[in-house]
């Protein structure tokens, strides 16, 4: 009998120790009741209010830009392209979306189109942002977007001179989007 009592006490103490060792955060509702005089007890209560909002945005970059013959000289072939940030860009306070453009073809201060089958001939082309008169360089910023409920755009102007040779010219540019 004494042994059963000791085992029961050990089991009870072990169970109590286990319960006490668990870390549990409990949030309880506040119940306000009337005391003997009719006054509310406690006289106030608190409620934690929270909201988690993740950044959200959609940047659209056209898949192709095909230059059209439009003029002469340095801008014989041109085309405008628009990068768009859809309405409802939401970022952390102070952050901006920065879009840069680069290409493996960039050399000697310009991007270059190459003709299919051509080994050496390259047709230089420039890219300008908006109304800028200065062409961007490799890795240059072509768009900056901020938190806004409105749609945002950045207009790019592609231009190439008149090529010496016939052919189908192409280049691939990479747009990199970063939140800074």
């Amino acid at each position: 009998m004494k042994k059963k009592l000791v085992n029961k006490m050990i089991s009870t103490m072990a169970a109590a120790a286990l319960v006490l060792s668990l870390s549990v955060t409990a949030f309880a509702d506040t119940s306000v009741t009337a005391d003997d005089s009719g006054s509310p007890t406690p006289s106030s209560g608190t409620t934690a209010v929270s909201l988690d909002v993740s950044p959200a945005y959609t940047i659209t970059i056209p898949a192709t830009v095909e230059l059209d013959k439009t003029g002469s000289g340095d801008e014989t072939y041109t085309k405008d392209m628009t990068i768009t940030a859809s309405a409802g860009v939401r970022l952390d306070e102070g952050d901006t979306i920065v879009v840069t453009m680069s290409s493996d073809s960039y050399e000697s201060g310009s991007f270059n189109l190459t003709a299919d089958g051509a080994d050496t001939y390259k047709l230089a082309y420039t890219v300008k942002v908006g109304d800028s008169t200065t062409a961007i360089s490799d890795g240059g910023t072509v768009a900056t977007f901020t938190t806004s409920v409105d749609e945002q755009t950045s207009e790019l102007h592609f231009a190439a001179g008149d090529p010496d040779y016939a052919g189908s010219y192409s280049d691939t540019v990479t747009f990199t989007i970063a939140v800074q």
Side-chain angles (χ1 to χ4, degrees), residues 63-123:
T64 60
V65 173
E66 186 161 335
L67 281 65
D68 298 321
K69 187 165 184 164
T70 56
S72 61
D74 289 342
E75 290 201 1
T76 303
Y77 291 86
T78 64
K79 186 64 139 192
D80 291 337
M81 177 190 110
T82 303
I83 298 174
T84 306
S86 63
V89 171
R90 181 180 295 124
L91 303 168
D92 290 333
E93 187 175 1
D95 283 354
T96 58
I97 298 169
V98 176
V99 182
T100 58
M101 187 184 108
S102 62
S103 173
D104 290 340
S105 76
Y106 191 85
E107 60 184 42
S108 303
S110 66
F111 296 95
N112 291 284
L113 297 161
T114 55
D116 290 343
D119 291 332
T120 58
Y121 184 72
K122 296 178 183 177
L123 177 62

Side-chain angles (χ1 to χ4, degrees), residues 120-165:
T120 58
Y121 184 72
K122 296 178 183 177
L123 177 62
Y125 71 97
T126 60
V127 180
K128 297 176 185 175
V129 179
D131 295 332
S132 176
T133 58
T134 304
I136 66 158
S137 59
D138 193 44
T141 299
V142 295
T144 304
F145 303 118
T146 60
T147 293
S148 177
V149 296
D150 299 323
E151 179 179 274
Q152 302 170 71
T153 61
S154 179
E155 193 80 19
L156 305 184
H157 179 73
F158 290 74
D162 198 15
D164 293 338
Y165 304 102

Side-chain angles (χ1 to χ4, degrees), residues 13-89:
M13 289 192 312
L18 179 63
V19 168
L20 292 174
S21 70
L22 297 175
S23 173
V24 178
T25 303
F27 294 100
D29 294 334
T30 301
S31 294
V32 179
T33 58
D35 64 12
D36 292 338
S37 67
S39 298
T41 303
S43 61
S44 65
T46 60
T47 299
V49 178
S50 64
L51 171 67
D52 290 326
V53 179
S54 298
Y57 55 87
T58 300
I59 307 299
T60 304
I61 299 167
T64 60
V65 173
E66 186 161 335
L67 281 65
D68 298 321
K69 187 165 184 164
T70 56
S72 61
D74 289 342
E75 290 201 1
T76 303
Y77 291 86
T78 64
K79 186 64 139 192
D80 291 337
M81 177 190 110
T82 303
I83 298 174
T84 306
S86 63
V89 171

